[in-house]
Amino acid sequence: MHAFVNRTRPPDHYFLWNELNMLRVNDDYLKLRAGYLFPEIAKRVRAFREQNPDADVISLGIGDVTEPLPPAVVEAMHGAIDELATRGTFRGYGPEQGYAFLREKIVEHEYRARGCDISADEVFVSDGSKCDTGNILDILGPGNTIAIADPVYPVYVDTNVMAGHTGLSNDRGEYEGLVYLPATADNGFVPDLPDRPVDVVYLCFPNNPTGSVATKETLARWVRYAEENGTLILFDAAYEAFITDPEIPHSIYEVPGADRVAIEFRSFSKNAGFTGTRCAFTVVPKGVTGADGNGQSVPLHQLWSRRQTTKFNGVSYAVQRGAEAVYTEQGAKQVRGLIEHYQCNAKIIRETLADIGMRTYGGVNGPYIWLQIPGAGSGAGGPASGWDFFDKVLNQCHVVGTPGVGFGAAGEGYFRISSFNTRARVEEAMSRFRKKLSG
Ligand code: MLT
């Protein structure tokens, strides 16, 4: 536990606020640096387009899918809509936790098939892993010591800032109160265990943004650490479908004991193309506990269930029927086809960048390629920072990527390229890289 002093709320602010008779805002939001990363990029791209209306801009920035929903999913959704059109089969509110038909399929295919002992009532269907990784903070108390990797998916950091779990940020963009775990080329972009006890740690494998993966031994080390230190692991496995190496675990529950220390976030966004449709699920095993103010053990399942039933009304019936179709024979085959499409894009990107002399990581067991920016910060004519390289790629190639520094200070000197696009656009982007950035 750490005691954190919130410096943005000196008592005289309360006085001023009362005097002015004005609505009080959440000051913690004012600690956030700039905008959320992807809208910030979109803003810069909009400005570029305004200045260059004829430029054909290719986005390899935000990890948004481009390929249409699998036909089996579409057919199931159409069928569900037809049901809703008829009095006899119409449905109103669904169960907040998700329909049993979907939760049971999830358990059978994602967990039992991998030897994980997860039951359907431990699965909570939701509208996204991004939302759930933020919302989970509702059930955690103040004063926890929170560890995150650096670089990291910015949602984990920003939602902790919004919840008042941090102080202000320093020049490097690091927030007081968070424990940063560097993920660098030296450790294969897999952070080492913290050098002190922490209460919560976010892990994301396959990793966004670096594309690194965790072996079963690595995850077992984290589970042991969590058991020894009373740590909650928030495990984001939104990209598990991209794993190609059969030795790499798809779920943290493949590690014995993880069902007492870990909550897992999973999504249909990146495998089945649901980024716009919205469907995901979060697993909160009944054995995962925390302590109340009296030191009594409380199951997090009970709190998350209470949170969801109060604040969430579930994912629409048609979307859940669509997600269920992912587990049919046809659906599974079509989803595999989608993933192979993006994996092939990733291979084209990796190979092109290698060909033109650039160093890359990731892109094998995940959809993101983590590019080491040539000459970054060397003062030898290379870009000074990831945002300079972002501008260079946008101006010279008309391609959008994501500066690594947008994911944290340790991401400086890197650039993330997403494989989510059509084949033709990826090939075109890479041909521009060859022409403009070779050598
Ligand atoms: C990303 O580009 O990092 C992802 O699109 C983020 C997300 O899925 O929210």
Side-chain angles (χ1 to χ4, degrees):
M1 294 285 253
H2 82 113
F4 176 71
V5 182
N6 195 336
R7 291 210 198 121
T8 61
R9 289 183 181 162
D12 55 332
H13 275 192
Y14 285 100
F15 173 71
L16 182 64
W17 162 61
N18 272 334
E19 286 293 293
L20 292 174
N21 194 23
M22 284 173 73
L23 171 77
R24 185 68 197 269
V25 300
N26 182 346
D27 287 337
D28 293 315
Y29 277 60
L30 307 179
K31 296 179 197 162
L32 292 164
R33 291 166 69 90
Y36 179 57
L37 177 59
F38 294 106
E40 179 65 31
I41 288 174
K43 198 170 89 190
R44 288 171 184 240
V45 174
R46 258 196 316 276
F48 175 81
R49 282 186 205 272
E50 271 165 31
Q51 305 266 309
N52 304 273
D54 296 330
D56 171 26
V57 177
I58 300 176
S59 175
L60 301 179
I62 189 166
D64 193 5
V65 293
T66 53
E67 303 309 293
L69 292 170
V73 166
V74 174
E75 195 185 327
M77 286 182 178
H78 280 163
I81 294 291
D82 287 342
E83 283 181 56
L84 299 180
T86 306
R87 184 172 301 281
T89 48
F90 173 77
R91 300 179 189 230
Y93 289 126
E96 293 91 347
Q97 192 171 345
Y99 283 101
F101 62 75
L102 176 56
R103 288 185 288 109
E104 277 156 15
K105 289 280 167 25
I106 288 170
V107 163
E108 181 190 335
H109 293 267
E110 307 287 0
Y111 296 108
R112 272 189 220 126
R114 296 189 187 282
C116 309
D117 186 18
I118 295 295
S119 61
D121 62 354
E122 293 173 314
V123 174
F124 294 77
V125 176
S126 79
D127 58 347
S129 293
K130 174 180 172 180
C131 323
D132 280 1
T133 54
N135 291 336
I136 201 76
L137 297 180
D138 276 10
I139 65 166
L140 305 182
N144 287 317
T145 302
I146 294 161
I148 53 144
D150 179 11
V152 77
Y153 180 40
V155 169
Y156 312 153
V157 175
D158 288 4
T159 53
N160 273 290
V161 177
M162 291 169 173
H165 295 166
T166 76
L168 301 175
S169 58
N170 63 19
D171 302 345
R172 287 167 51 85
E174 295 161 335
Y175 288 91
E176 185 191 358
L178 291 182
V179 174
Y180 288 89
L181 309 173
T184 62
D186 288 344
N187 59 21
F189 302 101
V190 177
D192 299 329
L193 297 176
D195 56 6
R196 69 198 93 160
V198 300
D199 302 302
V200 181
V201 64
Y202 290 81
L203 296 179
C204 173
F205 292 111
N207 186 254
N208 178 13
T210 67
S212 65
V213 281
T215 61
K216 198 158 182 185
E217 295 67 42
T218 299
L219 290 186
R221 261 201 309 282
W222 277 102
V223 167
R224 236 180 359 259
Y225 168 89
E227 286 172 336
E228 284 165 14
N229 293 283
T231 308
L232 170 66
I233 299 176
L234 297 176
F235 190 74
D236 185 348
Y239 299 96
E240 61 74 36
F242 288 82
I243 293 173
T244 51
D245 181 342
E247 297 301 314
I248 300 295
H250 288 240
S251 163
I252 195 163
Y253 304 122
E254 290 178 50
V255 174
D259 58 353
R260 288 191 301 276
V261 294
I263 289 177
E264 180 165 288
F265 303 92
R266 297 278 287 265
S267 172
F268 294 99
S269 282
K270 313 291 165 117
N271 57 349
F274 277 54
T275 54
T277 313
R278 310 306 305 154
C279 197
F281 58 94
T282 290
V283 180
V284 187
K286 296 207 177 114
V288 182
T289 57
D292 70 11
N294 298 317
Q296 298 297 309
S297 170
V298 181
L300 297 190
H301 182 278
Q302 173 192 320
L303 301 186
W304 185 244
S305 175
R306 188 68 175 82
R307 192 258 172 219
Q308 291 299 80
T309 50
T310 305
K311 291 196 178 183
F312 187 57
N313 260 338
V315 174
S316 78
Y317 174 64
V319 168
Q320 291 192 61
R321 279 293 185 201
E324 181 193 26
V326 164
Y327 298 112
T328 60
E329 201 183 320
Q330 276 308 306
K333 214 160 108 198
Q334 292 158 4
V335 166
R336 186 75 346 247
L338 286 177
I339 292 162
E340 282 166 6
H341 164 82
Y342 297 120
Q343 282 170 332
C344 184
N345 284 351
K347 184 163 180 279
I348 292 168
I349 296 169
R350 279 191 285 113
E351 290 178 353
T352 309
L353 297 176
D355 255 17
I356 60 174
M358 293 188 183
R359 178 92 200 254
T360 65
Y361 301 88
V364 176
N365 291 291
Y368 300 121
I369 292 91
W370 193 234
L371 161 69
Q372 191 171 6
I373 300 173
S378 66
S385 86
W387 284 108
D388 294 325
F389 190 69
F390 171 88
D391 287 337
K392 179 173 169 171
V393 172
L394 183 56
N395 282 290
Q396 295 186 7
C397 305
H398 301 174
V399 172
V400 181
T402 311
V405 70
F407 298 98
E412 186 55 288
Y414 291 89
F415 191 70
R416 196 193 74 173
I417 301 182
S418 156
S419 64
F420 290 111
N421 213 318
T422 62
R423 182 64 36 78
R425 298 300 269 168
V426 165
E427 283 172 349
E428 170 61 21
M430 289 303 104
S431 117
R432 293 182 196 174
F433 266 59
R434 266 187 207 284
K435 277 195 208 117
K436 306 281 184 180
L437 301 177
S438 283

